[in-house]
Amino acid sequence: MSEKKIKDTKNILNDKELEFKRAKESNRADKIIKAIKEISSNLPNIDFHQLPQEVSDFIPVDIIVSELFGSLQSKSITKEQSNIDLQVIKSYTTKLNYVHRLLTLNNKVAWISNFEMTTLSKINIDDKIRTVKNISVQVYDMSLTASKDMLLSLSGSTDVSLLTTKTGEIKPFLSVSPLIPLGIHVTKHNEIILGVMEEGGTYNLTDKSCRKVILFGMDGIQKQSYEYDKHKQRLFTVPIRITSNVSNDILVINRTSDYDGRVVVLDRERHVKWTYQGHPQVNSGNKLFNPQDIVTTSVGHVIVNDFIRQAFHVLSGEGNVLTCKVMEDMEIIYPWSLDIDTEGQLWVGCESEDAKSCDAKLHTVKFS
């Protein structure tokens, strides 16, 4: 890239940064999201080469300095990586402007929520969507229990709440006061994993900031807490989404700004097994990795949606990239939420192309 092009690009990025700061100062989520979309669609083009037949992999080695920083080494793409495929099976239209959270009970019944519209809906899905129950509640995250009831983290509350799905009753289940619950996940072993932060916290961390992931039993008793790694470094900035895998690892989407984030994977002993900050073909330069949700498959694959890039990142259980696919050509626009149903199908809840329209899509995707 020439010196002039670098200078021009820098000036454009400075202007875009100013636009985003103005939107952020409004403290309105719709204006911030709209600004991100407009900025990302008008950024300078950066040409990417086709994916190579080898990728860079982070390999820790034995000496102390390299254990801290690791090294980048070339690693051949395996046959498994080249065989991953994602195909849209069916698409449905909701009455929401975006599907913020999504939980499937099976391949015909799901719960969907919209944070802005303060609504949580149970839907039946056949040729079209039919709403069978609406509950007025502002859900930040939700997860199913073994009894098919739901644990909720709610806006502004220091409680995790229990929704009894048969009656629609919502009541406090456990408190993390004075902290605020964020991402929530119930494991297959019936444990609760919860991301928390202090009330009024921002992305700028201080000595008083408390950002951690807590493991509870279903009796509400804390089993473990994850805030710092073995080098006394903070693990999280804002842990917005959490899941687990077949190895019982904890996978967290950690937001580091309104438009950037990464995946952090821990074992139960606080060791960071791997992290992921996007694919160079999609997220290099100023095209940041913007993850919003994460799921794992029955064989341990990890699927992360990249909201702004409209891409799915599929990783192995060891953090290797199996595929990174932009889904816009399949008409998956602005994917917000993910879930895998009892048939192994991937469900994707999206935002409307026009954020003011209440016609957000819900897609079923075959993953093979």
Side-chain angles (χ1 to χ4, degrees):
M1 186 182 287
S2 67
E3 185 175 347
K4 182 180 184 303
K5 190 169 183 180
I6 291 173
K7 184 177 180 180
D8 291 343
T9 300
K10 183 178 179 181
N11 289 336
I12 293 171
L13 294 178
N14 286 337
D15 290 342
K16 299 302 180 186
E17 182 182 18
L18 183 59
E19 287 179 34
F20 181 76
K21 284 181 178 178
R22 288 171 179 165
K24 191 174 180 181
E25 286 169 0
S26 72
N27 287 323
R28 286 184 53 182
D30 56 337
K31 286 189 176 183
I32 293 171
I33 292 170
K34 183 179 179 182
I36 292 171
K37 287 182 185 177
E38 291 178 351
I39 290 168
S40 62
S41 63
N42 291 290
L43 287 172
N45 290 324
I46 299 175
D47 296 327
F48 297 104
H49 298 293
Q50 196 171 13
L51 279 173
Q53 292 306 305
E54 61 178 27
V55 295
S56 294
D57 195 30
F58 185 81
I59 310 291
V61 291
D62 291 335
I63 62 173
I64 293 175
V65 173
S66 294
E67 186 183 68
L68 288 172
F69 299 103
S71 62
L72 283 173
Q73 300 178 16
S74 293
K75 182 176 181 179
S76 296
I77 294 175
T78 65
K79 184 178 180 181
E80 179 189 25
Q81 290 172 278
S82 62
N83 287 341
I84 298 295
D85 191 31
L86 296 163
Q87 293 293 332
V88 175
I89 300 171
K90 198 160 185 177
S91 299
Y92 305 88
T93 301
T94 72
K95 295 181 180 180
L96 307 176
N97 62 340
Y98 69 100
V99 181
H100 180 229
R101 304 302 300 128
L102 163 67
L103 278 181
T104 59
L105 301 186
N106 52 51
N107 63 342
K108 296 294 182 181
V109 183
W111 287 86
I112 58 176
S113 71
N114 182 288
F115 189 82
E116 289 181 3
M117 298 171 73
T118 315
T119 185
L120 172 64
S121 303
K122 185 179 182 181
I123 58 173
N124 287 348
I125 306 157
D126 201 349
D127 291 332
K128 60 181 181 179
I129 291 175
R130 181 169 62 90
T131 301
V132 295
K133 183 178 289 187
N134 274 321
I135 300 172
S136 181
V137 64
Q138 196 167 31
V139 174
Y140 186 86
D141 200 7
M142 56 187 181
S143 187
L144 284 175
T145 68
S147 61
K148 303 303 180 185
D149 291 329
M150 294 162 60
L151 292 180
L152 311 173
S153 57
L154 303 177
S155 175
S157 175
T158 59
D159 291 330
V160 171
S161 296
L162 176 69
L163 167 63
T164 304
T165 52
K166 287 184 179 179
T167 64
E169 179 186 13
I170 297 176
K171 58 183 180 182
F173 182 78
L174 68 86
S175 174
V176 291
S177 181
L179 302 174
I180 301 292
L182 301 172
I184 187 168
H185 170 67
V186 178
T187 72
K188 291 180 179 179
H189 302 290
N190 219 28
E191 297 172 312
I192 304 164
I193 310 177
L194 188 66
V196 299
M197 69 183 292
E198 76 278 7
E199 189 171 3
T202 67
Y203 293 112
N204 298 318
L205 301 181
T206 69
D207 292 340
K208 296 181 180 179
S209 299
C210 182
R211 314 296 169 86
K212 57 186 175 180
V213 166
I214 308 174
L215 178 67
F216 295 92
M218 197 53 70
D219 55 6
I221 296 175
Q222 181 176 318
K223 292 183 174 183
Q224 185 62 276
S225 178
Y226 308 86
E227 187 171 7
Y228 299 95
D229 65 16
K230 62 182 179 179
H231 305 296
K232 307 298 182 184
Q233 299 299 308
R234 285 188 180 274
L235 290 167
F236 308 111
T237 306
V238 183
I240 65 163
R241 299 288 175 255
I242 301 172
T243 191
S244 57
N245 62 14
V246 291
S247 301
N248 218 26
D249 298 321
I250 298 170
L251 296 85
V252 182
I253 289 182
N254 180 48
R255 300 290 297 183
T256 53
S257 73
D258 285 327
Y259 44 85
D260 196 17
R262 64 175 185 157
V263 176
V264 180
V265 181
L266 306 171
D267 63 20
R268 295 302 182 96
E269 283 71 48
R270 292 193 183 89
H271 299 135
V272 177
K273 297 185 73 170
W274 52 270
T275 63
Y276 181 72
Q277 291 181 269
H279 194 284
Q281 188 185 26
V282 178
N283 303 113
S284 61
N286 55 341
K287 296 187 175 181
L288 301 176
F289 181 46
N290 193 281
Q292 291 291 342
D293 208 352
I294 185 169
V295 292
T296 59
T297 71
S298 59
V299 296
H301 292 153
V302 181
I303 307 174
V304 185
N305 62 334
D306 189 339
F307 175 74
I308 295 297
R309 305 275 77 80
Q310 302 173 91
F312 290 163
H313 301 245
V314 183
L315 315 173
S316 72
E318 294 73 38
N320 298 317
V321 179
L322 302 181
T323 192
C324 181
K325 192 166 187 176
V326 177
M327 301 300 289
E328 189 172 4
D329 290 344
M330 295 188 187
E331 298 185 356
I332 293 184
I333 307 295
Y334 302 123
W336 265 105
S337 51
L338 304 175
D339 199 20
I340 296 177
D341 68 21
T342 53
E343 304 295 318
Q345 295 179 131
L346 177 67
W347 286 79
V348 185
C350 297
E351 181 176 333
S352 301
E353 195 164 356
D354 178 354
K356 295 180 181 179
S357 300
C358 292
D359 59 357
K361 299 295 182 181
L362 187 62
H363 305 278
T364 57
V365 178
K366 184 180 179 182
F367 174 79
S368 60

